[in-house]
Amino acid sequence: MDRHRDPLSARAWRAVGYGVPLAFLAFFFVFPLAEIVRRGLGSGGGESPWSVLTDSDTRQVLWFTVWQAVASTALTILVAFPAAYVLGRYEFPGRSAVRALVTVPFVLPTVVVALAFLAILPQGLQRGWAAILIAHAFFNVAVVVRVVGTFWARLDPRVSEAAATLGAGPWRRFREVTLPLLAPALSSAAAIVFLFSFTSFGIVLILGGPAYATLETEIYNQAVRVFDLRAAAVLSLVQLTCVALAVLATTRLEARLAIRGQLRSERDVLRRARTRGEKLVVLASLGGLALFLGLPLAALVERSLAVGGGHNLAAYRALTEPTAALLATPWEAVLNSLVYATGATVIAVVVGGLAAFAIARSSRWSTRLFDGLLMLPLGASAVMLGFGFVITFDRAPVDFRSAPWIVPVAQALVAIPFVVRIVVPTLRAIDERQREAAALLGAPPRRVWREIDLPIALRALAVAAGFAFAISLGEFGATVFLARPDRPTLPVAIFRFLGRPGELNAAEAYALAVVLMVVTAVSVFLVERIRVRRLGWF
Amino acid sequence: MLRVEHSTVRFDGRTALDDVTLDVGDGEVVTVLGPSGSGKTTLLRVIAGLQRPDQGRVVLDGRDLASVPPHRRGIGLVFQDHALFHHRDVAGNVAFGLRMRNEPAAAIGRRVRDMLELVGLSGFEDRSVATLSGGEQQRVALARALAPGPRVLLLDEPLGSLDRRLRDRLLDDLARLFAEVQVTAIYVTHDQAEAFALGDRVAVMRTGRLVQVGTPDAIWAQPADADLAHFLGLRNVRDGSVVRPEAVLVRVGGGDGNGVVLAAIRQGPTVRLVVSLDSGETLEALVTSLEHPEPGDRVSVEIDPAGIVELP
Ligand SMILES: Nc1ncnc2c1ncn2[C@@H]1O[C@H](COP(=O)(O)OP(=O)(O)OP(=O)(O)O)[C@@H](O)[C@H]1O
Ligand SMILES: [Mg+2]
């Protein structure tokens, strides 16, 4: 077709697009996992791998992991749906602020979320499955609100109106028209929530207590407390298998639910609430969500101020002073977090961006496999990753354990799937006719890429960068293994403060959580500002 | 039977529909003719109940529809941009309204086949609507609205994106259908020929207002104002009256004459002459003869008083 294009350079680019992410993944994901498995299964003593699998405790853990994930997903959708509807149908003042604010809980570290719920749940509910489900819903509401709401806002309202002129009442319109059209967005949001709930660590650890173990907490338990490497390895494999199956199932489901049809721009779809009833719906939905999300966060702030019987800023002042809980001052932890998160963001954007371009350009099965592979770190346990790093990279020639870049690398692994998921839909959404038009106007292929693909992708990449930054800021499971004692990150510092007795330590933990919240909120807000074209689903 | 009363719709202070009153009799087809942006779609949306009027009301068979939601009105609408269900195939789209009435599957199947045959899409049942051409989509939209046999059928430029031949065929089909099933319809178009061919009466719209409603003959005989006359192609306006082009008699020779031919344009069987009079005025004339003056010819022009229409 195009004889002027240098075939070698095209091939070289494709090699880079697939090669760099694959190499990164192989070395920093597959290698440590394989090492865990090798050592785990090879270690003598203890039970045989098979007996771990058939153990009734394991079955119970697996059962609880699955049902709490399913129930958390259902609860999250239930809680988020009214707000998604309002965001998808109405224009109102502060709409983008709402979109930014719901994201805050999602990027908060799980430790903070767990803390927030300890602070507000009534005594009887503080620990147990109900607390876990509520916390998961709090944490994941943003996923459903944003993914579904954004998609909803692009569905042509006239399609539903057409159903009305054909005699379909509101409920039938919802069931027969809106729901099927929303299905792709709903299923992908549900898949994300399911995966997060399935592999959730901090929340289950703190709110579940010893009675409620999931695979993830059990891995931590076996590896760190019981020192049964073999059991940890077997459980890791079980979890990875479950996650892989879930990823596979969702990609198939998404392909089946995908509906070709032109989406409209939000501007044409959204309208102001006019009747009393409509205004009431908007207010009630947003108000309910605000209470659900705001209460725990407000409680965090209150706790950070509660020192010595009254409310004051003592905990915040103490943040600049050395403490017995850490080998650094808490403020240094803030600084560490920012530095690490910046590094992780750069890595995630480069690796994830390269992968996204490769994925968007083809729909062959090998590309889909590549795509699925990149999603795995999202589901693999962060604890496993951190632990894998510790036992793998601890001797020459790969003695990186105390290398300053090892923390950002581990954090980037978790952020890469987000970068891919945000950038790919945007690239795929580029109307092929735009490229054709550019070509007909005389742009050679490379130029088409630069003039059309890149400018559109740049905005998506900026959004992805913001997310990667926030996620890295809050990453806990892997970082807790890897951060050197004299260079703690914020979540690690919070965890250390929590582990010590005393009112001031607790208040400092809450104060750091507030700091983390603010830093995260600011970065999310800045991302919102950049988002001119809302093509990705996040 | 259907009556729109003093209906007004404003969008952000701009008036899209301005005090419109329109009566449609049982079995009558009214075409709404107007330029782009004149409020035609808005009028249909008000009737269908998709747009609440700021003032006025819609009455069907003596019943005020204000409190009747769209899905209970029994009014069908062919959307200007189709609004097809992309999650259903062609048959699924056409069957939708029938399913809403819980008709038996066999009856639905038969009706879907009939409708698709009517619009010339037999065999398209299983096609995904996203893969259809623009014209095919439009015909599916038409079949979908017709299938449940609505009390009133609203059509928003339903032949807009069809080619000439298909358009003429469907225009005939529609005319026959309207006559056969005695459907009450409001048909929106910006095409004068379509409006005059299909409408028992024509309602002319401009900037949200109905300027004139009447039979095609009545409108042609007595346009409501100079703008409408111009829109209809009657361009000879002088002293508040319109001179029909066929009433402008042009002769070559016969004295010095009183004007010069500027252009002679053949339009099928007739030729349109543009003549510049010595008085400075420009008139258009229609001649049917094969022989006609050429540009530059001096001619003498007379006006048949019978062809002068006083504007109100
Ligand atoms: N939802 C809306 N919000 C704001 N303005 C609107 C809206 N819908 C229509 N309008 C405006 O109202 C006027 C009438 O629009 P309408 O769609 O009824 O025109 P139309 O006669 O159907 O035009 P066309 O032949 O181009 O379809 C236009 O100026 C349009 O811009
Ligand atoms: Mg219109």
Side-chain angles (χ1 to χ4, degrees):
Chain A
M1 173 197 83
D2 188 309
R3 252 166 276 148
H4 303 290
R5 188 174 182 172
D6 180 1
L8 238 190
S9 101
R11 213 177 302 155
W13 268 112
R14 203 157 50 231
V16 171
Y18 285 95
V20 171
L22 276 181
F24 187 84
L25 220 62
F27 192 69
F28 290 113
F29 182 66
V30 180
F31 180 31
L33 286 189
E35 190 63 17
I36 292 186
V37 172
R38 192 181 66 77
R39 291 221 208 151
L41 300 188
S43 69
E47 301 168 272
S48 79
W50 185 245
S51 69
V52 174
L53 266 185
T54 51
D55 189 280
S56 76
D57 282 353
T58 309
R59 279 215 304 274
Q60 205 176 333
V61 165
L62 184 60
W63 165 240
F64 178 68
T65 309
V66 172
W67 92 249
Q68 67 82 20
V70 171
S72 297
T73 308
L75 183 67
T76 308
I77 290 177
L78 211 67
V79 171
F81 213 78
Y85 164 74
V86 167
L87 277 181
R89 276 293 165 253
Y90 296 105
E91 178 62 71
F92 51 88
R95 192 168 178 279
S96 51
V98 169
R99 291 169 51 91
L101 288 175
V102 293
T103 319
V104 171
F106 178 66
V107 286
L108 285 183
T110 50
V111 183
V112 174
V113 174
L115 274 190
F117 275 85
L118 276 187
I120 60 153
L121 284 175
Q123 208 70 46
L125 267 181
Q126 273 191 352
R127 284 168 211 273
W129 58 266
I132 294 177
L133 296 197
I134 296 173
H136 280 162
F138 171 86
F139 186 62
N140 288 316
V141 133
V143 178
V144 179
V145 169
R146 296 186 58 127
V147 172
V148 178
T150 309
F151 194 75
W152 208 329
R154 311 198 60 217
L155 292 183
D156 191 344
R158 267 168 290 200
V159 178
S160 179
E161 290 173 356
T165 65
L166 292 166
W171 170 240
R172 284 198 97 166
R173 289 205 291 278
F174 176 74
R175 218 185 53 207
E176 301 227 16
V177 177
T178 309
L179 207 55
L181 291 176
L182 276 182
L186 251 175
S187 80
S188 91
I192 296 169
V193 177
F194 177 83
L195 279 183
F196 280 140
S197 308
F198 194 92
T199 62
S200 140
F201 173 58
I203 287 175
V204 180
L205 194 68
I206 298 176
L207 294 181
Y212 293 96
T214 59
L215 281 174
E216 180 89 19
T217 58
E218 194 54 23
I219 292 166
Y220 178 77
N221 191 33
Q222 295 292 341
V224 177
R225 300 211 180 118
V226 188
F227 287 114
D228 185 346
L229 257 189
R230 169 179 287 177
V234 172
L235 292 175
S236 298
L237 278 182
V238 171
Q239 171 156 334
L240 204 60
T241 311
C242 292
V243 166
L245 285 178
V247 168
L248 202 71
T250 48
T251 48
R252 297 197 74 138
L253 188 67
E254 260 175 62
R256 241 196 41 220
L257 291 175
I259 292 160
R260 278 209 288 159
Q262 61 286 52
L263 295 178
R264 306 193 77 84
S265 88
E266 277 189 8
R267 268 216 331 263
D268 305 341
V269 171
L270 300 177
R271 57 187 189 76
R272 289 186 175 280
R274 274 189 301 261
T275 65
R276 254 253 203 94
E278 285 175 350
K279 282 182 185 148
L280 203 69
V281 166
V282 170
L283 274 180
S285 304
L286 296 180
L289 191 66
L291 272 184
F292 182 62
L293 298 184
L295 226 55
L297 300 182
L300 272 189
V301 176
E302 191 269 333
R303 288 296 154 100
S304 73
L305 298 172
V307 184
H311 288 97
N312 52 60
L313 291 173
Y316 290 90
R317 276 194 293 275
L319 292 183
T320 54
E321 288 152 21
T323 157
L326 300 169
L327 292 180
T329 65
W331 275 125
E332 281 168 347
V334 177
L335 214 66
N336 290 337
S337 271
L338 290 175
V339 171
Y340 282 145
T342 306
T345 304
V346 172
I347 298 171
V349 167
V350 170
V351 176
L354 281 173
F357 273 105
I359 289 169
R361 211 171 302 138
S362 134
S363 55
R364 276 178 313 199
W365 68 267
S366 54
T367 311
R368 288 211 305 274
L369 189 72
F370 177 58
D371 191 358
L373 202 64
L374 285 168
M375 289 303 111
L376 278 186
L378 197 66
S381 110
V383 170
M384 232 155 72
L385 270 181
F387 185 59
F389 269 47
V390 170
I391 61 170
T392 309
F393 300 123
D394 67 341
R395 67 209 128 91
V398 287
D399 184 9
F400 305 138
R401 252 193 79 171
S402 48
W405 49 262
I406 201 77
V407 174
V409 162
Q411 293 176 343
L413 271 176
V414 185
I416 285 172
F418 280 87
V419 176
V420 173
R421 280 279 78 83
I422 291 171
V423 177
V424 165
T426 305
L427 286 176
R428 287 221 174 110
I430 297 175
D431 190 343
E432 189 55 33
R433 280 173 305 184
Q434 287 189 21
R435 297 197 186 101
E436 290 166 0
L440 291 175
L441 291 168
R446 186 80 60 77
R447 190 71 197 274
V448 170
W449 184 82
R450 219 177 62 210
E451 300 281 343
I452 308 289
D453 295 55
L454 194 60
I456 294 175
L458 267 184
R459 295 195 205 100
L461 278 172
V463 175
F467 255 94
F469 191 77
I471 288 162
S472 309
L473 270 182
E475 210 291 324
F476 173 62
T479 310
V480 73
F481 281 94
L482 297 173
R484 279 167 35 185
D486 58 335
R487 292 227 189 97
T489 64
L490 268 173
V492 172
I494 293 170
F495 186 66
R496 299 269 181 260
F497 273 118
L498 276 183
R500 301 185 72 85
E503 185 194 57
L504 186 65
N505 279 327
E508 278 194 63
Y510 286 113
L512 275 182
V514 172
V515 170
L516 185 49
M517 219 165 74
V518 171
V519 173
T520 309
V522 168
S523 64
V524 173
F525 183 74
L526 289 181
V527 163
E528 265 317 291
R529 300 299 298 261
I530 303 170
R531 284 193 71 182
V532 186
R533 283 178 81 114
R534 295 185 170 136
L535 285 170
W537 281 355
F538 278 96
Chain B
M1 185 201 82
L2 175 72
R3 186 173 160 78
V4 181
E5 280 177 15
H6 301 292
S7 291
T8 297
V9 172
R10 288 184 208 93
F11 292 116
D12 314 315
R14 280 186 313 122
T15 309
L17 207 61
D18 192 357
D19 193 31
V20 166
T21 298
L22 179 66
D23 268 301
V24 183
D26 209 351
E28 189 186 24
V29 176
V30 172
T31 52
V32 178
L33 176 65
S36 180
S38 57
K40 306 183 295 294
T41 298
T42 308
L43 172 63
L44 295 192
R45 289 175 61 84
V46 166
I47 297 171
L50 300 171
Q51 171 75 50
R52 189 184 293 272
D54 293 307
Q55 276 137 41
R57 55 178 200 156
V58 180
V59 180
L60 181 61
D61 296 326
R63 179 171 174 222
D64 185 351
L65 292 184
S67 60
V68 183
H71 64 279
R72 301 234 176 78
R73 292 193 177 192
I75 296 179
L77 171 58
V78 179
F79 285 70
Q80 189 167 11
D81 48 7
H82 326 321
L84 293 178
F85 303 132
H86 280 255
H87 58 297
R88 296 190 189 281
D89 58 14
V90 169
N93 270 269
V94 179
F96 193 92
L98 301 165
R99 283 201 304 112
M100 292 306 116
R101 296 193 322 204
N102 300 317
E103 301 214 357
I108 293 180
R110 241 176 331 197
R111 181 88 177 144
V112 167
R113 257 196 317 282
D114 289 351
M115 285 298 121
L116 288 179
E117 197 184 316
L118 177 74
V119 297
L121 288 180
S122 293
F124 277 64
E125 280 85 349
D126 300 334
R127 287 279 295 275
S128 138
V129 293
T131 64
L132 299 180
S133 75
E136 287 162 351
Q137 292 194 0
Q138 203 150 39
R139 285 182 278 161
V140 173
L142 192 58
R144 182 179 72 175
L146 283 172
R151 182 90 180 76
V152 179
L153 184 61
L154 309 175
L155 304 103
D156 198 350
E157 310 205 16
L159 306 183
S161 59
L162 302 183
D163 64 74
R164 183 67 171 273
R165 246 183 50 199
L166 193 55
R167 191 190 182 101
D168 288 347
R169 212 202 86 204
L170 272 172
L171 205 58
D172 287 346
D173 285 348
L174 276 177
R176 193 156 4 95
L177 187 93
F178 289 166
E180 250 171 44
V181 297
Q182 280 287 301
V183 69
T184 306
I186 300 182
Y187 184 106
V188 158
T189 176
H190 57 245
D191 183 286
Q192 190 189 322
E194 236 173 74
F196 279 47
L198 214 53
D200 296 323
R201 283 187 303 149
V202 178
V204 183
M205 270 192 103
R206 196 187 309 131
T207 56
R209 264 192 296 268
L210 278 186
V211 239
Q212 190 172 13
V213 184
T215 63
D217 287 345
I219 289 183
W220 187 253
Q222 180 67 60
D225 58 24
D227 278 344
L228 176 53
H230 195 89
F231 184 68
L232 295 176
L234 301 172
R235 302 211 174 84
N236 301 330
V237 179
R238 43 158 33 177
D239 320 327
S241 53
V242 174
V243 182
R244 299 185 166 283
E246 65 271 22
V248 179
L249 308 173
V250 177
R251 268 183 309 118
V252 187
D256 281 348
N258 56 354
V260 180
V261 175
L262 291 181
I265 303 146
R266 179 157 284 286
Q267 294 171 326
T270 61
V271 174
R272 188 159 62 90
L273 295 180
V274 182
V275 183
S276 169
L277 297 185
D278 296 342
S279 61
E281 208 178 341
T282 305
L283 283 181
E284 289 193 7
L286 277 188
V287 287
T288 45
S289 54
L290 279 176
E291 297 280 314
H292 60 82
E294 296 292 338
D297 286 357
R298 254 195 103 66
V299 291
S300 56
V301 174
E302 280 171 52
I303 292 173
D304 177 358
I308 297 180
V309 182
E310 295 287 333
L311 290 174

